[in-house]
Amino acid sequence: MSGGTLGVTHSKGEDFPEWYVEVVRKGEFVDQRTPVRGCDVIMPWGYGVWERITEFADRLFKERGVKNAYFPALIPESLLKKEAEHFAGFTPEVAWVTEAGDSKLGERLALRPTSETIMYYMFSQWVRSYRDLPLRINQWTNVFRWETKATRPFLRSREFLWQEGHTVHATLEEADQEVREMIKTYKKIFEELAALPALVLQRTESDKFAGALYSVAFDTFVPEAGRALQIGTVHNLGQNFAKAFGIKFLDRDGNEKYAWQTSWGISTRLIGAILAVHGDDRGAVLPPKVAPVQVVVIPIVFKGKEAETVQKATEIGKRLEKMGVRVEVDSRDEYTAGWKFNHWELKGVPLRIEVGPRDMEKGGVTYARRDTGEKGFVKETELEKVVAILDDIQANLFKRAQKRLDEGIVTLGELEQVKDAISRKKIARTFWCGDPRCEERIKEETGGEIRGIKFGDGENADGESCVVCGKRAKHVVYVAKSY
Ligand SMILES: [Zn+2]
């Protein structure tokens, strides 16, 4: 299936955008050679990563009492318009269906850019009493955002896969609590599964989700690009949508009240983040927990010992499989061992095991770690050590990414310094008075933007001055370029 030169030709540090596209294509995660630009094919290897994400996330959602459902992809314009801010926020990138066969439709239908409107139209018919609450519904589906900017596989595409969770509650406190719980859940997915550290930031008023009371987002960091990358969001929608769609319930006190809502989502963008953050000049580096294949076993054949070596490699593969490891034994004889090394490195398989005559004589196998390149030997009688090595790779990738995120943040008090830091591919931690005009100035002057204020523990800006106007600062903010 692969075409062109094997191996990555661009350097991640020197030319990140080209490097990224090359890894995605040559690693067979995505094929962009489709008839509609920005609507890409997610290849089996890329989809395998998505399957690991969906399995892990779906289990956590269900533990929280979330139920899966499916809502229609087509949303009438009148429905999309019901919440004014929401409509204004999404209109520029909505794709419309205007005709059926030869006749024009009476009302144009949007291909869902997100499903608040269609879901809440239904919720208003489902929610009657406090007994119906809380309501927690999720769907795993595709959405369309007709991007006019340059598209980039996984990071910015016109059609992508995601999950969108939508909950309905009796009180603001319960909705706030739901936001906190979902932040914990997402943190687990990002850190434990994807090995991605992230800043948990409350977006500013100008940057929050269209129609939300407030938005909290997870930003991971790609040092080579000097960009923050949003990998998940949790919104407290307040009562804005409940009022627009008439989601009301009869409370215990006998009064009819508007409900409080939240929504939250992660998408295939997470795959892009995994590639962008962990990858190196040899290609993708997949954390074991998301890797479709965790260990590739490669027989190193010598004349006269072919059958014996392949047989041993197959046996090793079977034993690892029994330990719960996802294994591929690559015994294709039309490729050299060297070609196979490059091929599986490019695809990001966490661990390679070589079975050669010398290893067999010594009663074991040689391994090579994808994250560090480190090589070692494991005795056949101690094959379970492979599981521990995979755990160590998973932990090491998170630690490495966390260190690079920490090192990427610099605290600065002058606008010139912030500008300089952004140009040096850093995240600037600085101080802001809260005035949208100062926020705008930061954007104009530095090329970065305020990504938000740390959510929850709220960092203290006491005694600091706004980086733009010099007035008393209200917030510690993080400024960066982003995708
Ligand atoms: Zn200011």
Side-chain angles (χ1 to χ4, degrees):
M1 266 198 267
S2 59
T5 325
L6 188 70
V8 180
T9 58
H10 292 90
S11 151
K12 190 185 185 190
E14 283 160 26
D15 193 353
F16 179 81
E18 290 296 329
W19 171 88
Y20 176 79
V21 171
E22 207 180 1
V23 169
V24 166
R25 179 168 56 86
K26 289 187 172 172
E28 294 175 319
F29 289 90
V30 157
D31 197 337
Q32 285 188 285
R33 297 169 299 178
T34 57
V36 181
R37 188 167 63 82
C39 296
D40 307 327
V41 175
I42 302 176
M43 302 278 285
W45 189 250
Y47 201 82
V49 176
W50 185 235
E51 283 177 309
R52 302 280 93 71
I53 295 168
T54 56
E55 279 166 19
F56 188 90
D58 201 59
R59 185 170 52 76
L60 292 182
F61 297 163
K62 282 174 180 158
E63 279 171 13
R64 298 207 58 253
V66 176
K67 294 207 162 51
N68 286 335
Y70 181 79
F71 289 74
L74 295 173
I75 304 171
E77 183 171 14
S78 53
L79 207 59
L80 205 60
K81 273 184 170 161
K82 274 206 166 183
E83 210 289 335
E85 271 181 61
H86 184 70
F87 183 69
F90 279 97
T91 309
E93 47 189 40
V94 170
W96 297 101
V97 176
T98 56
E99 285 159 51
D102 288 336
S103 51
K104 235 177 145 59
L105 296 177
E107 179 179 13
R108 53 181 187 162
L109 306 172
L111 276 172
R112 65 175 156 234
T114 178
S115 304
E116 275 75 9
T117 54
I118 182 76
M119 286 174 113
Y120 304 167
Y121 174 80
M122 298 310 297
F123 286 4
S124 72
Q125 302 173 69
W126 296 352
V127 173
R128 286 284 171 263
S129 129
Y130 68 89
R131 289 183 208 89
D132 301 323
L133 304 178
L135 177 66
R136 293 186 174 95
I137 301 284
N138 175 62
Q139 70 172 348
W140 290 97
T141 186
N142 60 340
V143 281
F144 294 85
R145 310 251 172 108
W146 221 251
E147 295 283 354
T148 48
K149 290 188 212 167
T151 62
R152 208 185 295 269
F154 292 130
L155 300 182
R156 185 183 294 279
S157 50
R158 287 174 167 176
E159 181 184 7
F160 55 89
L161 301 181
W162 79 350
Q163 62 72 212
E164 49 179 321
H166 297 263
T167 68
V168 188
H169 306 271
T171 64
L172 173 61
E173 290 68 34
E174 284 175 37
D176 278 333
Q177 179 60 20
E178 188 75 7
V179 166
R180 286 193 292 271
E181 289 297 324
M182 276 320 299
I183 288 170
K184 269 192 235 164
T185 302
Y186 278 163
K187 210 170 155 61
K188 214 172 155 74
I189 295 167
F190 300 143
E191 293 187 355
E192 289 181 22
L193 184 83
L196 291 175
L199 293 169
V200 185
L201 302 173
Q202 181 168 341
R203 295 283 190 243
T204 63
E205 279 299 301
S206 72
D207 201 25
K208 69 182 184 183
F209 178 73
L213 193 59
Y214 64 87
S215 292
V216 183
F218 289 80
D219 276 356
T220 193
F221 180 56
V222 186
E224 291 86 353
R227 283 174 196 264
L229 176 51
Q230 177 177 301
I231 49 176
T233 49
V234 182
H235 313 291
N236 187 325
L237 302 175
Q239 292 180 310
N240 294 339
F241 287 92
K243 284 180 179 163
F245 287 86
I247 306 175
K248 290 180 278 191
F249 67 99
L250 200 60
D251 208 352
R252 282 191 170 82
D253 58 13
N255 292 321
E256 194 175 57
K257 295 171 185 170
Y258 283 109
W260 298 83
Q261 294 180 269
T262 80
S263 69
W264 29 272
I266 58 171
S267 74
T268 36
R269 202 169 216 242
L270 185 52
I271 305 173
I274 290 168
L275 299 177
V277 171
H278 299 308
D280 63 21
D281 282 352
R282 306 179 73 81
V285 178
L286 296 177
K289 285 188 181 169
V290 297
V293 173
Q294 295 171 307
V295 176
V296 60
V297 182
I298 299 177
I300 313 292
V301 289
F302 282 87
K303 263 210 153 41
K305 301 232 177 185
E306 291 93 342
E308 202 184 320
T309 318
V310 170
Q311 195 190 349
K312 179 56 78 179
T314 309
E315 183 197 318
I316 299 282
K318 284 209 173 112
R319 283 184 56 199
L320 286 171
E321 231 162 51
K322 279 205 182 118
M323 293 174 197
V325 177
R326 292 188 288 276
V327 191
E328 172 112 3
V329 180
D330 189 352
S331 54
R332 293 176 291 177
D333 53 15
E334 65 270 37
Y335 295 106
T336 65
W339 187 94
K340 290 176 190 174
F341 289 4
N342 290 335
H343 175 74
W344 294 106
E345 269 177 3
L346 176 52
K347 293 175 96 68
V349 171
L351 194 70
R352 178 177 79 227
I353 284 182
E354 302 162 22
V355 181
R358 239 180 310 162
D359 302 308
M360 282 159 68
E361 272 166 32
K362 285 198 284 178
V365 295
T366 300
Y367 70 79
R369 285 173 64 140
R370 180 66 186 87
D371 60 335
T372 57
E374 183 198 330
K375 287 190 161 197
F377 185 81
V378 175
K379 284 190 203 155
E380 256 194 79
T381 49
E382 295 174 344
L383 205 57
E384 66 280 357
K385 278 191 178 163
V386 167
V387 176
I389 297 171
L390 288 174
D391 287 345
D392 194 62
I393 294 172
Q394 181 81 30
N396 181 51
L397 285 175
F398 177 72
K399 218 167 67 187
R400 195 161 82 178
Q402 179 74 63
K403 185 164 176 275
R404 299 205 306 161
L405 168 61
D406 293 342
E407 287 169 358
I409 301 170
V410 283
T411 300
L412 302 162
E414 303 288 334
L415 199 57
E416 266 310 305
Q417 295 174 321
V418 172
K419 184 179 176 180
D420 176 60
I422 299 300
S423 72
R424 288 186 293 111
K425 301 183 174 179
K426 298 283 184 189
I427 297 174
R429 180 178 173 275
T430 189
F431 312 99
W432 177 46
C433 63
D435 189 327
R437 285 169 301 185
C438 290
E439 182 181 15
E440 196 50 42
R441 267 289 296 285
I442 289 174
K443 210 171 183 173
E444 284 164 11
E445 297 284 326
T446 71
E449 58 183 352
I450 295 183
R451 300 297 293 170
I453 301 146
K454 259 196 187 167
F455 182 73
D457 41 9
E459 292 179 292
N460 200 331
D462 285 357
E464 302 291 350
S465 322
C466 174
V467 72
V468 178
C469 67
K471 288 185 191 150
R472 208 166 62 83
K474 271 195 203 141
H475 308 290
V476 176
V477 290
Y478 292 78
V479 177
K481 282 190 175 178
S482 70
Y483 280 110

